[in-house]
Amino acid sequence: MSSFDGSPLSAYGWDETLENVFSVHRAAGLVPARVAAVDRGLCDVVTESGPGRASAGALGSPADPAAAPCTGDWAALRPGGPDGRPVLAALLPRRTAIVRSSAARDSHGQVLAANVDTVAIAVPLVPDPVLGRLERLLALAWESGARPVVVLTKADRVASAAEAQAEVAAAAPGVDVVACSAATGDGVDVVAAVLSGTVVLVGPSGAGKSTLGNALLGADALATGEVRASDGKGRHTTVRRELLPLPGGGVLIDTPGLRGVGLFAVGDGLRRTFADIEELAGGCRFGDCAHLGEPGCAVLAAVADGSLPQRRLDSYRRLLRENAWIASRTDARLRAERRDKWKAVRRWQRQMYKEKGRDR
């Protein structure tokens, strides 16, 4: 029997690959743990001996916030820290990570969840699906390395979900699109069938993520709330990310509603989200066609004949511009960091020359 078989952590995704990676930490007296939630420098963790509470330690910094622990991380835990509480000593390399631009819109990314296998994007059918927001979430999901799935929620609130399902599928090429009503239970089994491994639920407030999560968990483990009747928007019932094992295997991460989703280095994610436009672009007369009026543009020809919606091309252009802007901010930050490091080296060299002069 492998050393990970029968471990409580196997229900949370622990496997032989992780055990091999962790061997150097185990030899140092550390124990494996998965981060279930993070709150003000403290973490809820699951270890081989069960759930617990740990300090985040010195992981992460203002200069590199992405290195801080987040829900879904696998960590090496040092028992008995200074205050008697275990301390996260190191994070294992992330297999996948969902990263968005920080709320401050600076050049740093914010990790929403780590080591995710499936990103379930909750899209409410009431009010009508916002396709631009869906495309934005799809870009983040594809870029993470996980597999996106679109879940149309609140299907019991519409006469037929088929039309909306077809419209959403056109905006999500290569992605499973399923519809359900968590309130009635219809379609929940279909949703469960397309989810695998560690699943994270993302989407706006009021999309029904927590209600869907409870249906998948088979228990009211997640707080839910009603949406406002005036505008159909939801309140932030979920205030932090949580990780819970699913009864049929796998793990569920519920996240707070996302009011704004800033892109962060999602070049490949955009190409996969707009695979239809990328494929059309291969037929343009010029290899550097910007699809702005050049002769022989296959993309504009598709818009003209109605096979490609103008809305989708506009969304593609908008997200490309945003991604290019954040990339330029990141490049500027990296140049500034290299400049600061060079200045520090020069200061050190000057100090060494002075000390050598005094020694003479």
Side-chain angles (χ1 to χ4, degrees):
M1 180 182 291
S2 300
S3 59
F4 65 87
D5 288 338
S7 166
L9 286 182
S10 61
Y12 288 84
W14 189 254
D15 58 23
E16 190 170 9
T17 300
L18 288 167
E19 180 65 37
N20 291 336
V21 172
F22 194 80
S23 59
V24 63
H25 297 299
R26 199 181 287 278
L30 305 180
V31 297
R34 192 162 199 191
V35 178
V38 180
D39 183 22
R40 300 177 184 177
L42 295 176
C43 303
D44 290 339
V45 296
V46 180
T47 69
E48 292 167 324
S49 58
R53 191 84 159 149
S55 168
L59 298 177
S61 68
D64 188 13
C70 72
T71 302
D73 267 325
W74 288 103
L77 203 65
R78 178 176 292 110
D83 58 356
R85 181 182 284 122
V87 179
L88 269 63
L91 299 180
L92 273 62
R94 290 164 175 161
R95 294 173 173 173
T96 62
I98 303 175
V99 185
R100 69 168 177 177
S101 180
S102 68
R105 306 289 286 169
D106 57 20
S107 56
H108 296 292
Q110 177 192 11
V111 183
L112 298 178
N115 301 307
V116 171
D117 299 296
T118 308
V119 181
I121 302 173
V123 178
L125 288 172
V126 179
D128 293 338
V130 181
L131 298 181
R133 180 169 56 204
L134 168 62
E135 289 159 344
R136 182 178 291 271
L137 289 170
L138 281 170
L140 264 65
W142 279 124
E143 191 69 30
S144 74
R147 178 177 63 92
V149 169
V150 178
V151 181
L152 303 179
T153 60
K154 307 183 182 183
D156 59 307
R157 304 274 298 277
V158 297
S160 173
E163 184 177 345
Q165 194 165 353
E167 183 183 18
V168 169
V175 177
D176 288 326
V177 179
V178 292
C180 74
S181 167
T184 65
D186 291 339
V188 174
D189 57 338
V190 177
V191 175
V194 297
L195 305 180
S196 60
T198 295
V199 180
V200 63
L201 288 172
V202 299
S205 297
K209 298 187 302 302
S210 297
T211 303
L212 173 60
N214 284 335
L216 294 170
L217 291 165
D220 292 335
L222 305 172
T224 61
E226 296 295 326
V227 299
R228 292 193 296 263
S230 59
D231 56 9
K233 293 184 179 180
R235 302 174 178 86
H236 280 285
T237 323
T238 302
V239 295
R240 64 174 186 171
R241 297 164 188 86
E242 298 180 89
L243 183 147
L244 298 164
L246 289 164
V251 181
L252 180 71
I253 298 176
D254 187 30
T255 65
L258 301 174
R259 287 197 177 97
V261 185
L263 301 184
F264 187 82
V266 292
D268 184 61
L270 285 175
R271 285 188 288 274
R272 300 191 69 170
T273 300
F274 294 94
D276 51 346
I277 297 180
E278 293 283 326
E279 183 178 357
L280 285 169
C284 292
R285 182 183 303 175
F286 303 109
D288 60 350
C289 183
H291 322 309
L292 294 172
E294 297 89 338
C297 176
V299 173
L300 293 180
V303 173
D305 67 22
S307 57
L308 177 68
Q310 180 67 51
R311 181 215 64 79
R312 186 154 169 81
L313 179 57
D314 291 342
S315 179
Y316 177 60
R317 290 169 173 164
R318 181 168 54 253
L319 295 182
L320 281 177
R321 287 195 301 269
E322 181 179 333
N323 193 53
W325 178 82
I326 193 64
S328 69
R329 293 288 300 273
T330 302
D331 290 344
R333 176 177 60 83
L334 293 175
R335 286 195 298 271
E337 287 179 354
R338 286 194 294 267
R339 185 172 60 250
D340 291 343
K341 288 179 181 178
W342 176 245
K343 288 180 179 179
V345 169
R346 294 294 295 167
R347 286 195 299 270
W348 176 81
Q349 289 175 334
R350 287 194 295 269
Q351 183 64 28
M352 291 296 292
Y353 292 150
K354 289 179 181 178
E355 291 179 358
K356 287 181 179 180
R358 287 195 297 267
D359 290 343
R360 293 194 187 99

